[in-house]
Structures are given as structure tokens and as C-alpha cells.
Amino acid sequence: IIPLETPFVVLIDPSSACNLRCKFCPTGFTSLIKSTGRYHGYMDLSLFKKIIDDLEEFTEPIETIRLYKEGEPLVSPHFCEMVKYAKQSDKVRKVDTITNGILLDKPLCDKIVDSGLDQINISVNGLSEEHYFKHTGVHFNFQKLVDAVSYLYSIKKDLTIYVKCIRENFTNSELIEFARIFEPI
């Protein structure tokens, strides 16, 4: 099938900034990113619309637009508008994202489902505030994430939800606890 006339997946980064400071990722370290000259912020909605409109140049629809590359996509105030715009295009079959889930709450979950997002992959970085801080440098109420994921699942409609973790950041007993918490959801 190579050369492809149309790519299968297009990655678009709604935000090159992140709300975490993970030890394993440079994106959350603002001073480091600024020293490289790389842009650190969120994508302008008009630029995003131009990218989607330019997909008309391909012969077939893009299988997947992935709204994620290096930043935290939910940091963008335009995330749900981006999903809606891409979904209304006849050049996009599926829109998905990867998020740390820290910003999820009921109002945002409602907007995400209403936007028509097809799939959300939520990366869990700990099982407690201490565990989160150890790996992400940020204090976070883990139960808030569990409640948000549970709520999102309860209203999901056609949205596919994956909850995952980085194996190396969890002991075997923590992996068992991770499964115990998220399997019922």
C-alpha cells in the first residue's frame, strides 16, 4: 500500500504545554522547553481549522485524527471545539486523544461527550496523592480522577474509554490495585 495517497493517522497537538512535571517527560519543564526555542502553549483555533480544511487535498478521508503529540490536550481551551470541527469534516473518520485526565470534571466530561470524540486514552500516573507527586511533581487528589472517569463512563454514549498506566511506575501490588479500581468502571 506504500506509497500512501492518504495518511492513516494525523497527529495534531492542541497544546504543547502540560500541567504535570513528569520525571520521564521534558514537556512539563517550561524552562527546558523555552531554552530549546520550542513553542510552549496551545494551538490557535483558526490554525486548527485550516489544518482540517487542508485535508481536502487528500483523496480519501483520514482514518484517525489524534489530538495529542507532546502536550496535554485538555489544557487547550479549544479542545472540544477542535473535536467538533474535525468530526463535522467529511475528511475525518475518527478523532481520539491521550490525556493525563487531571483536568477532567463533570462539565468537561459533558463537553467531551457532546463534542463527538470517538476515543479517549487516560494515562494514570499514580494511585494516591503521594504516588502522583513522586512521578509527576504535582499534588493531585487521585479520587477526583477516579470519580471523573466513572462519570465519563456513565455518560459515554459512543465514546471508547481506555485507562492505562506506565508499568514501570507501579509495583505489582499497585498494578493489581489499579485493575481493582478501574476494572469495574
Side-chain angles (χ1 to χ4, degrees):
I1 62 173
I2 295 179
L4 296 174
E5 290 185 27
T6 303
F8 292 125
V9 179
V10 173
L11 280 72
I12 304 172
D13 213 0
S15 170
S16 62
C18 187
N19 53 346
L20 297 181
R21 307 291 177 261
C22 299
K23 294 177 181 179
F24 52 85
C25 178
T27 301
F29 294 93
T30 308
S31 60
L32 173 66
I33 297 302
K34 284 183 180 178
S35 73
T36 68
R38 190 179 104 192
Y39 176 72
H40 198 247
Y42 56 85
M43 180 182 283
D44 184 71
L45 184 58
S46 62
L47 175 58
F48 177 82
K49 288 180 176 183
K50 180 185 182 322
I51 293 168
I52 297 301
D53 294 346
D54 286 349
L55 296 177
E56 293 292 329
E57 294 182 25
F58 292 112
T59 58
E60 298 294 323
I62 305 294
E63 285 298 319
T64 302
I65 295 289
R66 179 152 301 131
L67 295 179
Y68 170 81
K69 185 176 173 291
E70 295 173 2
E72 168 53 43
L74 299 184
V75 168
S76 169
H78 307 300
F79 177 79
C80 292
E81 291 172 85
M82 291 174 169
V83 173
K84 281 183 185 180
Y85 194 81
K87 289 295 291 182
Q88 77 180 12
S89 168
D90 61 352
K91 288 299 193 172
V92 176
R93 290 196 172 118
K94 177 182 168 188
V95 179
D96 71 17
T97 196
I98 301 169
T99 177
N100 60 40
I102 299 291
L103 297 174
L104 289 174
D105 59 16
K106 286 184 178 184
L108 182 55
C109 289
D110 291 335
K111 289 177 186 175
I112 288 170
V113 170
D114 291 342
S115 74
L117 186 67
D118 294 292
Q119 181 176 314
I120 188 168
N121 302 289
I122 302 166
S123 298
V124 174
N125 291 291
L127 298 176
S128 66
E129 182 174 348
E130 296 78 25
H131 199 189
Y132 257 87
F133 187 75
K134 177 183 174 185
H135 294 291
T136 69
V138 173
H139 291 283
F140 176 69
N141 180 340
F142 174 67
Q143 187 59 47
K144 178 183 178 284
L145 178 63
V146 173
D147 294 345
V149 171
S150 181
Y151 177 72
L152 184 62
Y153 187 79
S154 75
I155 64 165
K156 70 182 187 84
K157 298 180 185 173
D158 295 328
L159 175 63
T160 300
I161 303 168
Y162 289 102
V163 181
K164 62 188 182 79
C165 65
I166 296 174
R167 165 85 179 88
E168 293 76 19
N169 289 351
F170 290 78
T171 64
N172 285 338
S173 61
E174 288 168 340
L175 288 172
I176 292 167
E177 180 66 6
F178 171 84
R180 185 194 68 73
I181 292 167
F182 289 102
E183 188 175 25
I185 300 172

